Amino acid sequence: MRHQSPNIGESRLERGKRALAEIDGEAGHKVIAALADIAPDFANYVFEFSFGDIYSRPGLDLRAREIATIAALTAMGTAIPQLKVHIEAGLNVGLTKDEIVETIIQMAVYAGFPAALNGSFAAKEVFADRFPSKTGKRRDEPSALPWPAAGDLALMVVPVDGKTP
């Protein structure tokens, strides 16, 4: 998905609702709907500022924005529900599972292993829900890495003595 420029005459709220629908789909609207009875103004702030102003800016495409968001939420370590929504959003805008996992692993260097582990488990849950096959991978989704994903291998045996087991 490509970043779309704001429509002339479109309000921040309208632009934010359009961006949220494109990026987060149903998951984003569930978050907003959950705020309706407790903090409807806050829901509008999310639409207007987060999506109407920031996500709609030129300069980064939606893939890059979601990589940054997944990295930040992983590093925070305290926002697992939001991380899951943005892992879903990353898939919606064209990130592969491998790109998402690599982004999370990169955070181990800067945020520590506990944050990266929690992010990995969040990704595992999202992938299991989104790709309910045995391997958790859609048949039409190519691996972004030059080696097979762990779920693609039943067992990998590497003999130490050079003999085949």
Side-chain angles (χ1 to χ4, degrees), residues 4-114:
Q4 294 182 1
S5 298
N7 295 331
I8 295 176
E10 186 177 42
S11 73
R12 293 171 68 217
L13 182 61
E14 293 166 335
R15 187 171 57 243
K17 286 182 177 183
R18 180 175 51 84
L20 179 72
E22 179 182 359
I23 298 163
D24 286 335
E26 185 179 329
H29 285 289
K30 284 181 181 178
V31 172
I32 299 300
L35 291 170
D37 63 343
I38 189 167
D41 288 341
F42 189 55
N44 283 339
Y45 299 151
V46 171
F47 277 133
E48 292 174 341
F49 178 69
S50 301
F51 291 92
D53 292 342
I54 303 302
Y55 268 88
S56 296
R57 290 175 54 82
L60 291 176
D61 65 13
L62 294 176
R63 287 174 43 86
R65 289 185 189 283
E66 283 305 325
I67 287 171
T69 303
I70 291 167
L73 292 170
T74 298
M76 286 176 64
T78 58
I80 298 302
Q82 293 79 12
L83 176 58
K84 289 179 183 179
V85 168
H86 284 281
I87 290 169
E88 228 7 280
L91 294 167
N92 290 345
V93 300
L95 295 178
T96 66
K97 289 172 26 177
D98 292 334
E99 289 170 322
I100 291 168
V101 169
E102 286 300 319
T103 299
I104 292 168
I105 290 170
Q106 180 73 18
M107 292 304 97
V109 176
Y110 299 98
F113 277 81

